[in-house]
Amino acid sequence: MSGFENKAEEFGGKLKEGVGEAVGNEKLKAEGKSDQVKAELKEKFDEAGERLKESVDKVLGAFKKD
């Protein structure tokens, strides 16, 4: 999932939470919060994966120079 998609999911969660709050629907509000947490976790995993890839590329690049 791309960063844009994660942000869109997070925004959708905020919107859903806000609507749930406005109409007094606790289930919708909780779903919105859940969507936000999922989007944030996906973003963190994407970032960690990118850092891992960069580290591996750096290590492989060091071996290629020898």
Side-chain angles (χ1 to χ4, degrees), residues 41-63:
L41 286 173
K42 288 176 187 177
E43 184 69 27
K44 296 297 180 192
F45 279 115
D46 288 348
E47 291 170 5
E50 187 60 35
R51 286 194 305 271
L52 178 62
K53 181 184 177 300
E54 290 170 2
S55 296
V56 169
D57 288 346
K58 209 179 271 187
V59 169
L60 291 176
F63 282 113

Side-chain angles (χ1 to χ4, degrees), residues 11-29:
F11 177 75
K14 287 181 183 183
L15 183 62
K16 194 183 283 187
E17 179 185 6
V19 170
E21 178 74 30
V23 298
N25 184 328
E26 290 299 316
K27 182 179 177 191
L28 188 60
K29 184 177 171 183

